[in-house]
Amino acid sequence: MASLHIIYSTSTGHTEYVVDALIDALRAKAAKLKVEKQYAEAAKPEDLLRGDVLLLASGTWNTGGTEGQLHPRMHALLKERAKDADLQKKPCALIALGDDRYYYTARAMEHLLQFVTKHGGAVADSLVIVNEPYGQEEKVAKWAEKLLAKIPTLAS
Ligand SMILES: Cc1cc2nc3c(=O)[nH]c(=O)nc-3n(C[C@H](O)[C@H](O)[C@H](O)COP(=O)(O)O)c2cc1C
């Protein structure tokens, strides 16, 4: 049975909403898929290696006083606790959120991409959600289908 391990962080609930919409969409197409969700603040570096596929999801925040950064709790995991992690070619899917009122809109994606490539993971696909996620469920569902097609393990 295939498994997806999701590590995410959220303050407003937006990222969690997208993650939950994704899980619903994946389960509709791949009923047997085992999905595990974990908050970034609860994750240890070794949790990045759980599951056949890793999904990282973060909004864009002004962590450390500069806009365009990862959410503070994802920052603490990826840039601090897991700074020496080796992803061992693990397939990784990425979700970033942001708001177009900010200059560095959804720039969390750049940090997620950098983390995975620098730490030996394989980027499978990425999804950017700009502004409130409510009403963007169809976009998430389409991406879920794309993800299942790109990573056949997930649908097995
Ligand atoms: C203090 C603060 C800083 C933010 N900085 C950015 C930013 O630099 N770029 C961006 O695209 N969105 C920025 N946002 C918007 C959030 O990324 C967006 O509202 C997101 O949906 C929040 O989801 P979350 O609570 O699940 O992390 C910021 C929001 C706040 C409150």
PDB file of all heavy atoms in Angstrom, residues 9-16 58-62 66-69 71 97-100 102-107 129 131-133, ligand 1:
ATOM      1  N   SER A   9       2.699  23.544   7.885  1.00  0.00           N
ATOM      2  CA  SER A   9       2.515  24.478   9.000  1.00  0.00           C
ATOM      3  C   SER A   9       1.444  25.474   8.586  1.00  0.00           C
ATOM      4  O   SER A   9       1.217  25.694   7.391  1.00  0.00           O
ATOM      5  CB  SER A   9       3.826  25.193   9.332  1.00  0.00           C
ATOM      6  OG  SER A   9       4.335  25.800   8.180  1.00  0.00           O
ATOM      7  N   THR A  10       0.798  26.050   9.567  1.00  0.00           N
ATOM      8  CA  THR A  10      -0.278  26.988   9.248  1.00  0.00           C
ATOM      9  C   THR A  10      -0.568  27.882  10.442  1.00  0.00           C
ATOM     10  O   THR A  10      -0.426  27.449  11.590  1.00  0.00           O
ATOM     11  CB  THR A  10      -1.556  26.212   8.828  1.00  0.00           C
ATOM     12  OG1 THR A  10      -2.519  27.122   8.312  1.00  0.00           O
ATOM     13  CG2 THR A  10      -2.169  25.418   9.965  1.00  0.00           C
ATOM     14  N   SER A  11      -0.944  29.126  10.185  1.00  0.00           N
ATOM     15  CA  SER A  11      -1.420  30.003  11.260  1.00  0.00           C
ATOM     16  C   SER A  11      -2.888  30.333  11.064  1.00  0.00           C
ATOM     17  O   SER A  11      -3.685  30.263  11.994  1.00  0.00           O
ATOM     18  CB  SER A  11      -0.607  31.304  11.305  1.00  0.00           C
ATOM     19  OG  SER A  11       0.659  31.054  11.852  1.00  0.00           O
ATOM     20  N   THR A  12      -3.265  30.680   9.834  1.00  0.00           N
ATOM     21  CA  THR A  12      -4.649  31.090   9.576  1.00  0.00           C
ATOM     22  C   THR A  12      -5.548  29.886   9.284  1.00  0.00           C
ATOM     23  O   THR A  12      -6.768  30.024   9.228  1.00  0.00           O
ATOM     24  CB  THR A  12      -4.718  31.999   8.340  1.00  0.00           C
ATOM     25  OG1 THR A  12      -4.280  31.233   7.202  1.00  0.00           O
ATOM     26  CG2 THR A  12      -3.826  33.221   8.485  1.00  0.00           C
ATOM     27  N   GLY A  13      -4.921  28.731   9.016  1.00  0.00           N
ATOM     28  CA  GLY A  13      -5.692  27.549   8.613  1.00  0.00           C
ATOM     29  C   GLY A  13      -5.725  27.385   7.096  1.00  0.00           C
ATOM     30  O   GLY A  13      -6.216  26.372   6.590  1.00  0.00           O
ATOM     31  N   HIS A  14      -5.203  28.373   6.343  1.00  0.00           N
ATOM     32  CA  HIS A  14      -5.244  28.273   4.877  1.00  0.00           C
ATOM     33  C   HIS A  14      -4.483  27.049   4.362  1.00  0.00           C
ATOM     34  O   HIS A  14      -4.982  26.299   3.518  1.00  0.00           O
ATOM     35  CB  HIS A  14      -4.641  29.532   4.232  1.00  0.00           C
ATOM     36  CG  HIS A  14      -5.480  30.757   4.396  1.00  0.00           C
ATOM     37  ND1 HIS A  14      -5.025  32.023   4.073  1.00  0.00           N
ATOM     38  CD2 HIS A  14      -6.749  30.922   4.858  1.00  0.00           C
ATOM     39  CE1 HIS A  14      -5.973  32.911   4.321  1.00  0.00           C
ATOM     40  NE2 HIS A  14      -7.027  32.262   4.803  1.00  0.00           N
ATOM     41  N   THR A  15      -3.273  26.858   4.860  1.00  0.00           N
ATOM     42  CA  THR A  15      -2.465  25.734   4.360  1.00  0.00           C
ATOM     43  C   THR A  15      -3.119  24.411   4.750  1.00  0.00           C
ATOM     44  O   THR A  15      -3.163  23.475   3.952  1.00  0.00           O
ATOM     45  CB  THR A  15      -1.021  25.831   4.898  1.00  0.00           C
ATOM     46  OG1 THR A  15      -0.498  27.103   4.510  1.00  0.00           O
ATOM     47  CG2 THR A  15      -0.134  24.736   4.325  1.00  0.00           C
ATOM     48  N   GLU A  16      -3.660  24.372   5.940  1.00  0.00           N
ATOM     49  CA  GLU A  16      -4.349  23.146   6.376  1.00  0.00           C
ATOM     50  C   GLU A  16      -5.561  22.876   5.485  1.00  0.00           C
ATOM     51  O   GLU A  16      -5.836  21.734   5.125  1.00  0.00           O
ATOM     52  CB  GLU A  16      -4.792  23.288   7.830  1.00  0.00           C
ATOM     53  CG  GLU A  16      -5.418  22.023   8.372  1.00  0.00           C
ATOM     54  CD  GLU A  16      -5.237  21.911   9.882  1.00  0.00           C
ATOM     55  OE1 GLU A  16      -5.627  22.860  10.577  1.00  0.00           O
ATOM     56  OE2 GLU A  16      -4.700  20.887  10.343  1.00  0.00           O
ATOM     57  N   SER A  58       3.647  24.976   2.941  1.00  0.00           N
ATOM     58  CA  SER A  58       3.896  26.152   3.789  1.00  0.00           C
ATOM     59  C   SER A  58       3.371  27.425   3.123  1.00  0.00           C
ATOM     60  O   SER A  58       3.477  27.586   1.905  1.00  0.00           O
ATOM     61  CB  SER A  58       5.415  26.304   4.012  1.00  0.00           C
ATOM     62  OG  SER A  58       5.708  27.514   4.679  1.00  0.00           O
ATOM     63  N   GLY A  59       2.875  28.313   3.948  1.00  0.00           N
ATOM     64  CA  GLY A  59       2.549  29.650   3.469  1.00  0.00           C
ATOM     65  C   GLY A  59       3.819  30.500   3.470  1.00  0.00           C
ATOM     66  O   GLY A  59       4.881  30.080   3.945  1.00  0.00           O
ATOM     67  N   THR A  60       3.698  31.707   2.900  1.00  0.00           N
ATOM     68  CA  THR A  60       4.820  32.641   2.841  1.00  0.00           C
ATOM     69  C   THR A  60       4.645  33.669   3.947  1.00  0.00           C
ATOM     70  O   THR A  60       3.555  34.245   4.091  1.00  0.00           O
ATOM     71  CB  THR A  60       4.850  33.346   1.466  1.00  0.00           C
ATOM     72  OG1 THR A  60       4.804  32.342   0.443  1.00  0.00           O
ATOM     73  CG2 THR A  60       6.097  34.193   1.304  1.00  0.00           C
ATOM     74  N   TRP A  61       5.695  33.895   4.714  1.00  0.00           N
ATOM     75  CA  TRP A  61       5.592  34.788   5.872  1.00  0.00           C
ATOM     76  C   TRP A  61       6.809  35.698   5.953  1.00  0.00           C
ATOM     77  O   TRP A  61       7.769  35.565   5.185  1.00  0.00           O
ATOM     78  CB  TRP A  61       5.442  33.957   7.155  1.00  0.00           C
ATOM     79  CG  TRP A  61       4.051  33.386   7.290  1.00  0.00           C
ATOM     80  CD1 TRP A  61       3.558  32.294   6.631  1.00  0.00           C
ATOM     81  CD2 TRP A  61       2.966  33.919   8.051  1.00  0.00           C
ATOM     82  NE1 TRP A  61       2.238  32.089   6.960  1.00  0.00           N
ATOM     83  CE2 TRP A  61       1.846  33.070   7.828  1.00  0.00           C
ATOM     84  CE3 TRP A  61       2.830  35.017   8.912  1.00  0.00           C
ATOM     85  CZ2 TRP A  61       0.607  33.300   8.430  1.00  0.00           C
ATOM     86  CZ3 TRP A  61       1.600  35.230   9.515  1.00  0.00           C
ATOM     87  CH2 TRP A  61       0.507  34.381   9.271  1.00  0.00           C
ATOM     88  N   ASN A  62       6.758  36.600   6.918  1.00  0.00           N
ATOM     89  CA  ASN A  62       7.874  37.540   7.110  1.00  0.00           C
ATOM     90  C   ASN A  62       8.788  37.056   8.245  1.00  0.00           C
ATOM     91  O   ASN A  62       9.184  37.828   9.113  1.00  0.00           O
ATOM     92  CB  ASN A  62       7.340  38.949   7.404  1.00  0.00           C
ATOM     93  CG  ASN A  62       6.442  38.990   8.628  1.00  0.00           C
ATOM     94  OD1 ASN A  62       6.018  37.927   9.114  1.00  0.00           O
ATOM     95  ND2 ASN A  62       6.145  40.167   9.129  1.00  0.00           N
ATOM     96  N   THR A  66      11.790  39.653   7.386  1.00  0.00           N
ATOM     97  CA  THR A  66      11.828  39.915   5.940  1.00  0.00           C
ATOM     98  C   THR A  66      10.710  39.144   5.264  1.00  0.00           C
ATOM     99  O   THR A  66      10.539  37.945   5.535  1.00  0.00           O
ATOM    100  CB  THR A  66      13.173  39.406   5.333  1.00  0.00           C
ATOM    101  OG1 THR A  66      14.218  39.786   6.206  1.00  0.00           O
ATOM    102  CG2 THR A  66      13.404  39.957   3.940  1.00  0.00           C
ATOM    103  N   GLU A  67       9.983  39.783   4.392  1.00  0.00           N
ATOM    104  CA  GLU A  67       8.897  39.083   3.692  1.00  0.00           C
ATOM    105  C   GLU A  67       9.461  38.038   2.728  1.00  0.00           C
ATOM    106  O   GLU A  67      10.650  38.044   2.402  1.00  0.00           O
ATOM    107  CB  GLU A  67       8.036  40.103   2.936  1.00  0.00           C
ATOM    108  CG  GLU A  67       7.215  40.950   3.904  1.00  0.00           C
ATOM    109  CD  GLU A  67       6.413  42.048   3.226  1.00  0.00           C
ATOM    110  OE1 GLU A  67       6.460  42.162   1.988  1.00  0.00           O
ATOM    111  OE2 GLU A  67       5.753  42.801   3.961  1.00  0.00           O
ATOM    112  N   GLY A  68       8.573  37.159   2.256  1.00  0.00           N
ATOM    113  CA  GLY A  68       8.989  36.169   1.264  1.00  0.00           C
ATOM    114  C   GLY A  68       9.659  34.939   1.849  1.00  0.00           C
ATOM    115  O   GLY A  68      10.342  34.203   1.138  1.00  0.00           O
ATOM    116  N   GLN A  69       9.417  34.675   3.140  1.00  0.00           N
ATOM    117  CA  GLN A  69      10.073  33.530   3.793  1.00  0.00           C
ATOM    118  C   GLN A  69       9.061  32.393   4.015  1.00  0.00           C
ATOM    119  O   GLN A  69       7.869  32.559   3.822  1.00  0.00           O
ATOM    120  CB  GLN A  69      10.650  33.948   5.157  1.00  0.00           C
ATOM    121  CG  GLN A  69      11.523  35.189   5.116  1.00  0.00           C
ATOM    122  CD  GLN A  69      12.722  35.033   4.198  1.00  0.00           C
ATOM    123  OE1 GLN A  69      13.403  34.018   4.214  1.00  0.00           O
ATOM    124  NE2 GLN A  69      12.973  36.053   3.375  1.00  0.00           N
ATOM    125  N   HIS A  71       6.848  29.881   6.397  1.00  0.00           N
ATOM    126  CA  HIS A  71       6.147  30.045   7.674  1.00  0.00           C
ATOM    127  C   HIS A  71       7.158  29.757   8.802  1.00  0.00           C
ATOM    128  O   HIS A  71       8.000  28.855   8.671  1.00  0.00           O
ATOM    129  CB  HIS A  71       4.988  29.038   7.720  1.00  0.00           C
ATOM    130  CG  HIS A  71       4.147  29.153   8.939  1.00  0.00           C
ATOM    131  ND1 HIS A  71       4.486  28.529  10.126  1.00  0.00           N
ATOM    132  CD2 HIS A  71       2.992  29.811   9.175  1.00  0.00           C
ATOM    133  CE1 HIS A  71       3.561  28.808  11.033  1.00  0.00           C
ATOM    134  NE2 HIS A  71       2.644  29.580  10.479  1.00  0.00           N
ATOM    135  N   LEU A  97       1.714  28.707  -0.301  1.00  0.00           N
ATOM    136  CA  LEU A  97       0.631  29.678  -0.347  1.00  0.00           C
ATOM    137  C   LEU A  97       1.207  31.078  -0.228  1.00  0.00           C
ATOM    138  O   LEU A  97       2.333  31.261   0.267  1.00  0.00           O
ATOM    139  CB  LEU A  97      -0.358  29.458   0.806  1.00  0.00           C
ATOM    140  CG  LEU A  97      -1.381  28.345   0.592  1.00  0.00           C
ATOM    141  CD1 LEU A  97      -0.758  26.979   0.832  1.00  0.00           C
ATOM    142  CD2 LEU A  97      -2.581  28.533   1.505  1.00  0.00           C
ATOM    143  N   GLY A  98       0.432  32.051  -0.669  1.00  0.00           N
ATOM    144  CA  GLY A  98       0.857  33.439  -0.549  1.00  0.00           C
ATOM    145  C   GLY A  98      -0.310  34.353  -0.869  1.00  0.00           C
ATOM    146  O   GLY A  98      -1.429  33.890  -1.097  1.00  0.00           O
ATOM    147  N   ASP A  99      -0.003  35.621  -0.887  1.00  0.00           N
ATOM    148  CA  ASP A  99      -1.031  36.633  -1.083  1.00  0.00           C
ATOM    149  C   ASP A  99      -0.455  37.675  -2.038  1.00  0.00           C
ATOM    150  O   ASP A  99       0.689  38.124  -1.842  1.00  0.00           O
ATOM    151  CB  ASP A  99      -1.345  37.244   0.293  1.00  0.00           C
ATOM    152  CG  ASP A  99      -2.578  38.107   0.260  1.00  0.00           C
ATOM    153  OD1 ASP A  99      -2.626  39.026  -0.587  1.00  0.00           O
ATOM    154  OD2 ASP A  99      -3.483  37.880   1.073  1.00  0.00           O
ATOM    155  N   ASP A 100      -1.251  38.056  -3.046  1.00  0.00           N
ATOM    156  CA  ASP A 100      -0.695  38.964  -4.064  1.00  0.00           C
ATOM    157  C   ASP A 100      -0.589  40.417  -3.597  1.00  0.00           C
ATOM    158  O   ASP A 100      -0.157  41.286  -4.354  1.00  0.00           O
ATOM    159  CB  ASP A 100      -1.429  38.836  -5.404  1.00  0.00           C
ATOM    160  CG  ASP A 100      -2.897  39.225  -5.327  1.00  0.00           C
ATOM    161  OD1 ASP A 100      -3.326  39.784  -4.288  1.00  0.00           O
ATOM    162  OD2 ASP A 100      -3.614  38.959  -6.309  1.00  0.00           O
ATOM    163  N   TYR A 102       1.471  41.070  -1.361  1.00  0.00           N
ATOM    164  CA  TYR A 102       2.892  41.107  -0.972  1.00  0.00           C
ATOM    165  C   TYR A 102       3.770  41.061  -2.216  1.00  0.00           C
ATOM    166  O   TYR A 102       3.449  40.362  -3.182  1.00  0.00           O
ATOM    167  CB  TYR A 102       3.237  39.927  -0.062  1.00  0.00           C
ATOM    168  CG  TYR A 102       2.581  40.018   1.295  1.00  0.00           C
ATOM    169  CD1 TYR A 102       1.288  39.531   1.491  1.00  0.00           C
ATOM    170  CD2 TYR A 102       3.223  40.616   2.362  1.00  0.00           C
ATOM    171  CE1 TYR A 102       0.671  39.622   2.724  1.00  0.00           C
ATOM    172  CE2 TYR A 102       2.620  40.706   3.609  1.00  0.00           C
ATOM    173  CZ  TYR A 102       1.340  40.210   3.780  1.00  0.00           C
ATOM    174  OH  TYR A 102       0.727  40.296   5.011  1.00  0.00           O
ATOM    175  N   TYR A 103       4.883  41.757  -2.183  1.00  0.00           N
ATOM    176  CA  TYR A 103       5.800  41.816  -3.332  1.00  0.00           C
ATOM    177  C   TYR A 103       6.315  40.415  -3.684  1.00  0.00           C
ATOM    178  O   TYR A 103       6.292  40.005  -4.837  1.00  0.00           O
ATOM    179  CB  TYR A 103       6.961  42.773  -3.002  1.00  0.00           C
ATOM    180  CG  TYR A 103       7.936  42.921  -4.133  1.00  0.00           C
ATOM    181  CD1 TYR A 103       7.609  43.691  -5.255  1.00  0.00           C
ATOM    182  CD2 TYR A 103       9.174  42.288  -4.093  1.00  0.00           C
ATOM    183  CE1 TYR A 103       8.497  43.818  -6.307  1.00  0.00           C
ATOM    184  CE2 TYR A 103      10.067  42.411  -5.133  1.00  0.00           C
ATOM    185  CZ  TYR A 103       9.723  43.180  -6.236  1.00  0.00           C
ATOM    186  OH  TYR A 103      10.597  43.300  -7.272  1.00  0.00           O
ATOM    187  N   TYR A 104       6.805  39.691  -2.687  1.00  0.00           N
ATOM    188  CA  TYR A 104       7.340  38.342  -2.939  1.00  0.00           C
ATOM    189  C   TYR A 104       6.212  37.319  -2.812  1.00  0.00           C
ATOM    190  O   TYR A 104       6.184  36.509  -1.896  1.00  0.00           O
ATOM    191  CB  TYR A 104       8.465  38.017  -1.958  1.00  0.00           C
ATOM    192  CG  TYR A 104       9.676  38.889  -2.116  1.00  0.00           C
ATOM    193  CD1 TYR A 104      10.098  39.732  -1.103  1.00  0.00           C
ATOM    194  CD2 TYR A 104      10.409  38.872  -3.309  1.00  0.00           C
ATOM    195  CE1 TYR A 104      11.224  40.536  -1.258  1.00  0.00           C
ATOM    196  CE2 TYR A 104      11.526  39.676  -3.476  1.00  0.00           C
ATOM    197  CZ  TYR A 104      11.921  40.506  -2.440  1.00  0.00           C
ATOM    198  OH  TYR A 104      13.021  41.290  -2.602  1.00  0.00           O
ATOM    199  N   THR A 105       5.287  37.380  -3.769  1.00  0.00           N
ATOM    200  CA  THR A 105       4.090  36.549  -3.674  1.00  0.00           C
ATOM    201  C   THR A 105       4.433  35.057  -3.700  1.00  0.00           C
ATOM    202  O   THR A 105       5.089  34.581  -4.634  1.00  0.00           O
ATOM    203  CB  THR A 105       3.122  36.893  -4.831  1.00  0.00           C
ATOM    204  OG1 THR A 105       2.873  38.293  -4.805  1.00  0.00           O
ATOM    205  CG2 THR A 105       1.809  36.154  -4.695  1.00  0.00           C
ATOM    206  N   ALA A 106       3.977  34.369  -2.651  1.00  0.00           N
ATOM    207  CA  ALA A 106       4.125  32.902  -2.556  1.00  0.00           C
ATOM    208  C   ALA A 106       5.572  32.431  -2.708  1.00  0.00           C
ATOM    209  O   ALA A 106       5.836  31.338  -3.201  1.00  0.00           O
ATOM    210  CB  ALA A 106       3.228  32.201  -3.577  1.00  0.00           C
ATOM    211  N   ARG A 107       6.501  33.242  -2.268  1.00  0.00           N
ATOM    212  CA  ARG A 107       7.905  32.882  -2.431  1.00  0.00           C
ATOM    213  C   ARG A 107       8.353  31.701  -1.553  1.00  0.00           C
ATOM    214  O   ARG A 107       9.464  31.188  -1.714  1.00  0.00           O
ATOM    215  CB  ARG A 107       8.775  34.106  -2.138  1.00  0.00           C
ATOM    216  CG  ARG A 107      10.092  34.016  -2.854  1.00  0.00           C
ATOM    217  CD  ARG A 107      10.924  35.219  -2.538  1.00  0.00           C
ATOM    218  NE  ARG A 107      12.233  35.094  -3.130  1.00  0.00           N
ATOM    219  CZ  ARG A 107      13.239  35.868  -2.839  1.00  0.00           C
ATOM    220  NH1 ARG A 107      13.079  36.848  -1.975  1.00  0.00           N
ATOM    221  NH2 ARG A 107      14.401  35.705  -3.399  1.00  0.00           N
ATOM    222  N   ILE A 129      -0.771  28.318  -4.361  1.00  0.00           N
ATOM    223  CA  ILE A 129      -2.117  28.863  -4.152  1.00  0.00           C
ATOM    224  C   ILE A 129      -1.957  30.310  -3.698  1.00  0.00           C
ATOM    225  O   ILE A 129      -1.383  30.582  -2.634  1.00  0.00           O
ATOM    226  CB  ILE A 129      -2.894  28.055  -3.077  1.00  0.00           C
ATOM    227  CG1 ILE A 129      -3.111  26.608  -3.521  1.00  0.00           C
ATOM    228  CG2 ILE A 129      -4.213  28.731  -2.724  1.00  0.00           C
ATOM    229  CD1 ILE A 129      -4.131  26.398  -4.644  1.00  0.00           C
ATOM    230  N   ASN A 131      -3.659  33.855  -2.574  1.00  0.00           N
ATOM    231  CA  ASN A 131      -4.848  34.401  -1.888  1.00  0.00           C
ATOM    232  C   ASN A 131      -5.645  33.281  -1.205  1.00  0.00           C
ATOM    233  O   ASN A 131      -5.216  32.131  -1.184  1.00  0.00           O
ATOM    234  CB  ASN A 131      -5.697  35.240  -2.841  1.00  0.00           C
ATOM    235  CG  ASN A 131      -4.873  36.397  -3.412  1.00  0.00           C
ATOM    236  OD1 ASN A 131      -3.899  36.826  -2.800  1.00  0.00           O
ATOM    237  ND2 ASN A 131      -5.230  36.878  -4.590  1.00  0.00           N
ATOM    238  N   GLU A 132      -6.809  33.653  -0.682  1.00  0.00           N
ATOM    239  CA  GLU A 132      -7.560  32.669   0.128  1.00  0.00           C
ATOM    240  C   GLU A 132      -7.811  31.393  -0.664  1.00  0.00           C
ATOM    241  O   GLU A 132      -8.175  31.449  -1.835  1.00  0.00           O
ATOM    242  CB  GLU A 132      -8.891  33.285   0.555  1.00  0.00           C
ATOM    243  CG  GLU A 132      -8.704  34.341   1.629  1.00  0.00           C
ATOM    244  CD  GLU A 132      -9.927  34.474   2.517  1.00  0.00           C
ATOM    245  OE1 GLU A 132     -10.978  33.900   2.178  1.00  0.00           O
ATOM    246  OE2 GLU A 132      -9.818  35.143   3.546  1.00  0.00           O
ATOM    247  N   PRO A 133      -7.655  30.256  -0.013  1.00  0.00           N
ATOM    248  CA  PRO A 133      -7.834  28.991  -0.746  1.00  0.00           C
ATOM    249  C   PRO A 133      -9.300  28.621  -0.976  1.00  0.00           C
ATOM    250  O   PRO A 133      -9.599  27.771  -1.805  1.00  0.00           O
ATOM    251  CB  PRO A 133      -7.162  27.963   0.177  1.00  0.00           C
ATOM    252  CG  PRO A 133      -7.251  28.555   1.541  1.00  0.00           C
ATOM    253  CD  PRO A 133      -7.213  30.047   1.378  1.00  0.00           C
TER     254      PRO A 133
HETATM  255  C1  LIG B   1       2.661  38.794   8.745  1.00  0.00           C
HETATM  256  C2  LIG B   1       2.376  38.188   7.398  1.00  0.00           C
HETATM  257  C3  LIG B   1       3.346  38.165   6.428  1.00  0.00           C
HETATM  258  C4  LIG B   1       3.086  37.634   5.166  1.00  0.00           C
HETATM  259  N1  LIG B   1       4.051  37.667   4.193  1.00  0.00           N
HETATM  260  C5  LIG B   1       3.757  37.241   2.940  1.00  0.00           C
HETATM  261  C6  LIG B   1       4.720  37.347   1.888  1.00  0.00           C
HETATM  262  O1  LIG B   1       5.849  37.821   2.062  1.00  0.00           O
HETATM  263  N2  LIG B   1       4.376  36.891   0.665  1.00  0.00           N
HETATM  264  C7  LIG B   1       3.141  36.342   0.398  1.00  0.00           C
HETATM  265  O2  LIG B   1       2.884  35.947  -0.735  1.00  0.00           O
HETATM  266  N3  LIG B   1       2.202  36.225   1.378  1.00  0.00           N
HETATM  267  C8  LIG B   1       2.491  36.652   2.630  1.00  0.00           C
HETATM  268  N4  LIG B   1       1.545  36.546   3.632  1.00  0.00           N
HETATM  269  C9  LIG B   1       0.243  35.926   3.330  1.00  0.00           C
HETATM  270  C10 LIG B   1       0.157  34.444   3.749  1.00  0.00           C
HETATM  271  O3  LIG B   1       1.157  33.655   3.125  1.00  0.00           O
HETATM  272  C11 LIG B   1      -1.205  33.895   3.325  1.00  0.00           C
HETATM  273  O4  LIG B   1      -2.224  34.602   4.014  1.00  0.00           O
HETATM  274  C12 LIG B   1      -1.363  32.407   3.577  1.00  0.00           C
HETATM  275  O5  LIG B   1      -2.545  31.962   2.962  1.00  0.00           O
HETATM  276  C13 LIG B   1      -1.349  32.085   5.052  1.00  0.00           C
HETATM  277  O6  LIG B   1      -1.553  30.707   5.221  1.00  0.00           O
HETATM  278  P1  LIG B   1      -1.104  29.959   6.574  1.00  0.00           P
HETATM  279  O7  LIG B   1      -1.698  30.671   7.726  1.00  0.00           O
HETATM  280  O8  LIG B   1      -1.656  28.583   6.405  1.00  0.00           O
HETATM  281  O9  LIG B   1       0.397  29.988   6.600  1.00  0.00           O
HETATM  282  C14 LIG B   1       1.813  37.081   4.894  1.00  0.00           C
HETATM  283  C15 LIG B   1       0.818  37.097   5.888  1.00  0.00           C
HETATM  284  C16 LIG B   1       1.078  37.649   7.126  1.00  0.00           C
HETATM  285  C17 LIG B   1      -0.020  37.680   8.163  1.00  0.00           C
END
